[in-house]
Amino acid sequence: MKVAIGCDHIVTGIKNHIGEYLKAKGFEVVDCGTYDYERTHYPIYGKRVAEQVVTGQCDLGVVLCGTGVGITNAVQKVKGARCALVGDVSAAVHAKEQLNCNVLGVGGRVSGIGMIEDILDAYFNAEYVPTPEKEATIAKIDALIQRDDYIGDDHFFDEFLEKWDRGEYHD
Ligand code: RB5
């Protein structure tokens, strides 16, 4: 199984750990960045991971930022992505078994490394078994997003990044 991973600069080390952890379990890992600790913007990496998954280049994705909130919100805006921000094992199982979530999100600064490993294990070991009820629910969720003209557009955020560089935005 091929897994895309991505993060912002706040949690690059934890993303690297997740990559190694998954590789040790036999997964093929595609690291979508960021690759260092230089300040960057989590929507870029959420978009990259989501694109890998919705285009079928990867089977599943894992994203993280400090809280997990920002990057999972970005992933959710990509058509075909179903992302769950998970902080415990029960939610990880639910995300896969009930909603067939194709991207798992964690908060690198708010969940301990041991919990993150347990969440990964629970999510990747859980199985989605389709039923008409589950499929109907998922279809309703997926129907909320229609747009996909940004897929593969690596300059999608250029306008926003120029504003960041000009100092128009602040953390
Ligand atoms: C830093 O940009 C921080 O806001 C981010 O890592 C995350 O916690 C957002 O949800």
Side-chain angles (χ1 to χ4, degrees):
M1 182 180 288
K2 214 166 162 181
V3 181
I5 60 173
C7 68
D8 71 0
H9 58 293
I10 301 285
V11 288
T12 305
I14 299 169
K15 183 264 293 170
N16 292 342
H17 177 86
I18 288 173
E20 293 308 314
Y21 186 78
L22 292 176
K23 281 183 201 166
K25 300 261 175 187
F27 295 100
E28 189 180 342
V29 172
V30 175
D31 188 342
C32 298
T34 190
Y35 305 105
D36 56 31
Y37 296 92
E38 188 176 335
R39 196 202 187 298
T40 184
H41 311 283
Y42 49 76
I44 297 167
Y45 308 96
K47 176 178 179 285
R48 281 190 194 166
V49 168
E51 283 180 357
Q52 286 283 317
V53 174
V54 304
T55 59
Q57 295 174 80
C58 285
D59 302 294
L60 295 170
V62 178
V63 294
L64 59 155
C65 59
T67 60
V69 173
I71 199 163
T72 53
N73 266 268
V75 171
Q76 286 288 57
K77 305 300 180 190
V78 177
K79 181 180 169 187
R82 281 185 304 281
C83 184
L85 172 55
V86 166
D88 61 74
V89 166
S90 298
V93 172
H94 184 89
K96 177 68 87 55
E97 287 186 350
Q98 299 301 319
L99 290 172
N100 198 19
C101 287
N102 49 16
V103 181
L104 172 70
V106 293
R109 275 199 170 176
V110 297
S111 295
I113 207 75
M115 176 58 82
I116 290 174
E117 290 178 356
D118 287 348
I119 287 169
L120 291 168
D121 290 344
Y123 174 76
F124 284 103
N125 289 334
E127 191 186 349
Y128 175 69
V129 179
T131 67
E133 292 75 18
K134 288 187 207 171
E135 292 285 282
T137 301
I138 291 168
K140 282 180 195 147
I141 294 169
D142 286 349
L144 291 169
I145 290 195
Q146 300 301 331
R147 191 179 158 197
D148 63 1
D149 61 337
Y150 46 77
I151 297 287
D153 178 3
D154 290 332
H155 297 286
F156 185 75
F157 293 115
D158 282 0
E159 182 189 337
F160 302 100
L161 294 174
E162 284 162 15
K163 286 184 179 173
W164 271 103
D165 290 344
R166 288 201 295 268
E168 292 185 26
Y169 300 133
H170 303 278
D171 280 329

